[in-house]
Amino acid sequence: METHLKNSVLAKRLDSAQISKLPPAVQRPSYDRDAVSPGIVHIGLGAFCRAHLAVYTDDVLENGAKDWGIVGVDTMSPAIRNALKPQDCFYTLLARDDGEDKLRVIGSMLDVMITSDQRREIFDLLIDPKIRIVTLTVTEKGYCQDAATGSLDEKHLAIIADLANPTTPNSIPGFLTEAIRLRRQAGQPAFTVLVCDNLAQNGTKVRDIVARFATLRDAELGRFILDNVSFPCTMVDRITPATQDADRAIVAADLGVEDAWPVVTEPFRQWVIEDRFPLGRPDWEKVGAIMVDDVHPFEMMKLRCLNGAHSMLAYLSVVAGIEAISDAMADADLPKIIRLLWDEDLIPSLPVVPGTNVEAYTRELETRFQNKGVRHLTLQISSDGSQKLPPRLLEAARELYAAGTEPKVIPLTIAAWMRFLSGRNERGQDYKIADPYAERLATLAANAGDDPELLADSLFAVRDIFGEDLPANQHFRTAVIGHLSSLMAQGTAKTLKTFLAGNKGPASTNTNIR
């Protein structure tokens, strides 16, 4: 990033002084930003939150709200602070739709802080009564959960370290617990914790994880969290690939000034939120969010149909050497496979989603996946499979078996993930496996060599991922090993053609199983 800025011919950087000078086609804040005070602290400053939560909140500020600005907190590195602070925390949203670009400068992020050297300042801010909501996008692995059970992984090294030094925490459970303790000690009512990550029943799950950590630290504090802190569940949806230098160049050319870290996204966005905010909230429903009593049906639809399909496309594509989701959707067979996944496995596993035609939702997903303007890299999507596959696909498989039917495409996806763990695609190119269990999984794959049955059995033995039931299910085990054998011996293209030849005919007419 620093090299990109240094080599640029543009002398000026996006900041408050440049906002009024931007080209007329660029949307920018019309509200008085100096009059806005923070009401939200957001933890985890990846691209997604800046393309989603911050945009909805920017819309609320445009409608006249003045007390719902966002202070961003990052727990990973100072890179995002170094990029945004010189820009007065303004950044550009680049919405791309097959060649049509729309630029918007977002102003809802008022400040950026980093836990590595500002932990005490952050805790002081979290004690302030004007902060009423803490939002999070830290990915599934950020909550230190056991992937198979969804509960706190009490053997996680970060959890062990934080329990030994609870006032200087580094994990998300430890950080939230200490913030809640300090706020309670200061006599302030508890803030609402709003989780915006792709976890089933994300609010409930994170509440239980945080309360368990707190209980291990202080049983009374654990009870306080369960009784007094609201953790609404949410469903978030907007495809947001990692920003590339080419994106920065496009933004700089259109703005006439540098933006060190713009965000690239699709036009579509959706946010469904359980309406449980004891200290109040922004009027997000006035700018497109859906406030509900129960988010579960919506999150299941998105988690399985979008995220589950993304996982399937990612593993098959990385192994085949396909770089982006839009490229995968141009393949002769992958779109047919994803349609089967939806029709045969995922739609039948869903509860009724109020006011929603789920098949129409998946048809819209096809169009979104085909968007060449959003180059969503399959290797990026492939990360953290040990954490993502259980809620996205393995739970659906369990429910289908429990209902007396069998998943058809999920075993192929699991086989593709197992093949993916070799770290080399069919073109002989190596790639890095990004996963909390990466070293363990790569070692199992290497030790299994070219033996698909040994590889499958070694991975099935990782109970943190598969539990006890699925490895003991003979149909599931046989199906996975059969697909894995084909992928290893014949490659992806032939495996898909063989699979499709055995699954001809109209899509299943199964109704939802719940």
Side-chain angles (χ1 to χ4, degrees):
M1 181 193 314
E2 293 175 355
T3 300
H4 171 77
L5 289 174
K6 183 173 65 177
N7 292 340
S8 173
V9 298
L10 296 174
K12 294 182 178 178
R13 185 89 167 262
L14 177 67
D15 60 16
S16 299
Q18 301 301 321
I19 294 297
S20 63
K21 303 174 185 178
L22 298 175
V26 178
Q27 185 179 349
R28 83 289 310 269
S30 64
Y31 52 88
D32 180 3
R33 195 162 179 256
D34 290 337
V36 176
S37 61
I40 300 169
V41 169
H42 179 80
I43 302 173
L45 289 176
F48 180 79
C49 74
R50 296 194 292 130
H52 193 268
L53 159 75
V55 178
Y56 278 94
T57 305
D58 198 61
D59 287 338
V60 170
L61 299 179
E62 286 287 351
N63 283 351
K66 291 185 173 19
D67 56 347
W68 287 115
I70 301 169
V71 174
V73 171
D74 201 84
T75 62
M76 301 299 290
S77 81
I80 188 70
R81 181 179 63 186
N82 295 346
L84 294 187
K85 288 283 279 186
Q87 301 181 178
D88 301 320
C89 297
F90 288 104
Y91 64 89
T92 310
L93 183 80
L94 173 59
R96 315 199 73 183
D97 189 7
D98 274 337
E100 182 181 355
D101 292 350
K102 292 184 179 180
L103 275 71
R104 173 179 176 179
V105 174
I106 304 299
S108 57
M109 194 78 66
L110 305 182
D111 197 5
V112 175
M113 306 173 80
I114 305 299
T115 56
S116 59
D117 58 17
Q118 293 180 284
R119 184 185 287 110
R120 183 47 51 192
E121 294 173 65
I122 295 166
F123 282 141
D124 288 344
L125 177 63
L126 288 166
I127 294 170
D128 193 318
K130 69 186 175 213
I131 300 301
R132 286 151 286 166
I133 302 174
V134 173
T135 56
L136 298 103
T137 49
V138 296
T139 75
E140 294 91 335
K141 66 183 176 183
Y143 298 100
C144 302
Q145 63 169 332
D146 181 302
T149 66
S151 59
L152 178 69
D153 180 359
E154 298 178 20
K155 297 179 181 179
H156 195 291
L157 294 179
I159 297 302
I160 294 170
D162 280 0
L163 287 171
N165 300 281
T167 61
T168 56
N170 290 303
S171 73
I172 293 301
F175 188 87
L176 288 173
T177 297
E178 177 63 3
I180 292 167
R181 185 191 72 82
L182 289 170
R183 190 168 173 113
R184 182 190 184 198
Q185 180 178 280
Q188 299 297 337
F191 47 64
T192 297
V193 178
L194 191 67
V195 180
C196 301
D197 281 300
N198 290 316
L199 297 167
Q201 289 290 280
N202 53 12
T204 301
K205 185 168 289 183
V206 174
R207 179 201 65 193
D208 292 346
I209 287 171
V210 173
R212 177 57 182 164
F213 177 91
T215 298
L216 292 172
R217 177 181 170 179
D218 175 350
E220 200 276 330
L221 180 58
R223 287 192 297 272
F224 173 83
I225 289 173
L226 289 173
D227 293 342
N228 295 278
V229 184
S230 181
F231 288 76
C233 294
T234 68
M235 184 273 267
V236 297
D237 190 356
R238 194 168 206 183
I239 295 172
T240 308
T243 303
Q244 307 296 321
D245 278 345
D247 303 319
R248 293 186 179 92
I250 290 169
V251 169
D254 287 348
L255 291 184
V257 295
E258 286 285 357
D259 182 344
W261 212 325
V263 177
V264 182
T265 192
E266 62 175 338
F268 179 92
R269 68 178 188 181
Q270 189 176 34
W271 198 8
V272 184
I273 312 168
E274 288 180 353
D275 201 357
R276 296 188 286 109
F277 294 81
L279 302 184
R281 60 169 176 77
D283 291 331
W284 285 315
E285 76 279 11
K286 293 182 179 179
V287 294
I290 303 170
M291 310 304 296
V292 298
D293 293 329
D294 181 12
V295 79
H296 181 65
F298 296 92
E299 72 179 3
M300 284 294 95
M301 177 181 70
K302 189 260 180 172
L303 189 65
R304 292 182 183 179
C305 292
L306 189 155
N307 300 120
H310 255 171
S311 290
M312 188 211 74
L313 285 174
Y315 296 120
L316 288 167
S317 295
V318 170
V319 169
I322 299 173
E323 291 187 351
I325 289 294
S326 58
D327 299 332
M329 294 302 288
D331 182 79
D333 292 324
L334 280 170
K336 300 173 187 176
I337 298 290
I338 200 173
R339 189 71 255 166
L340 279 171
L341 176 69
W342 283 324
D343 291 346
E344 298 292 346
D345 290 359
L346 300 184
I347 294 176
S349 77
L350 293 174
V352 174
V353 184
T356 303
N357 182 319
V358 180
E359 183 179 354
Y361 172 77
T362 61
R363 295 293 178 189
E364 186 176 22
L365 285 178
E366 288 183 89
T367 301
R368 293 168 63 191
F369 289 176
Q370 291 164 358
N371 184 354
K372 293 182 176 62
V374 177
R375 192 161 179 78
H376 206 178
L377 299 181
T378 56
L379 188 59
Q380 177 191 352
I381 298 169
S382 75
S383 66
D384 303 335
S386 67
Q387 311 295 300
K388 294 175 179 177
L389 288 174
R392 294 180 180 189
L393 295 173
L394 297 182
E395 284 304 314
R398 288 186 173 95
E399 291 166 16
L400 291 168
Y401 283 124
T405 187
E406 296 177 348
K408 291 187 177 181
V409 190
I410 292 173
L412 172 63
T413 303
I414 301 307
W417 172 73
M418 292 179 172
R419 165 62 182 84
F420 159 85
L421 295 175
S422 70
R424 172 169 290 191
N425 68 21
E426 294 169 0
R427 300 178 183 180
Q429 299 165 323
D430 293 334
Y431 50 81
K432 184 178 179 180
I433 298 166
D435 194 288
Y437 295 175
E439 184 176 354
R440 179 183 180 186
L441 297 173
T443 299
L444 292 174
N447 290 342
D450 297 327
D451 187 334
E453 188 165 0
L454 178 58
L455 175 56
D457 284 343
S458 298
L459 293 169
F460 279 145
V462 183
R463 296 299 193 249
D464 291 351
I465 301 173
F466 290 101
E468 300 286 343
D469 54 339
L470 287 176
N473 184 309
Q474 195 58 39
H475 174 272
F476 187 77
R477 179 180 179 279
T478 300
V480 170
I481 292 174
H483 295 313
L484 181 58
S485 298
S486 180
L487 287 168
M488 294 174 72
Q490 300 185 58
T492 303
K494 287 185 178 180
T495 297
L496 298 187
K497 289 188 183 303
T498 300
F499 181 82
L500 289 169
N503 287 277
K504 290 181 178 179
S508 170
T509 57
N510 290 344
T511 56
N512 289 7
I513 64 174
R514 286 186 282 178

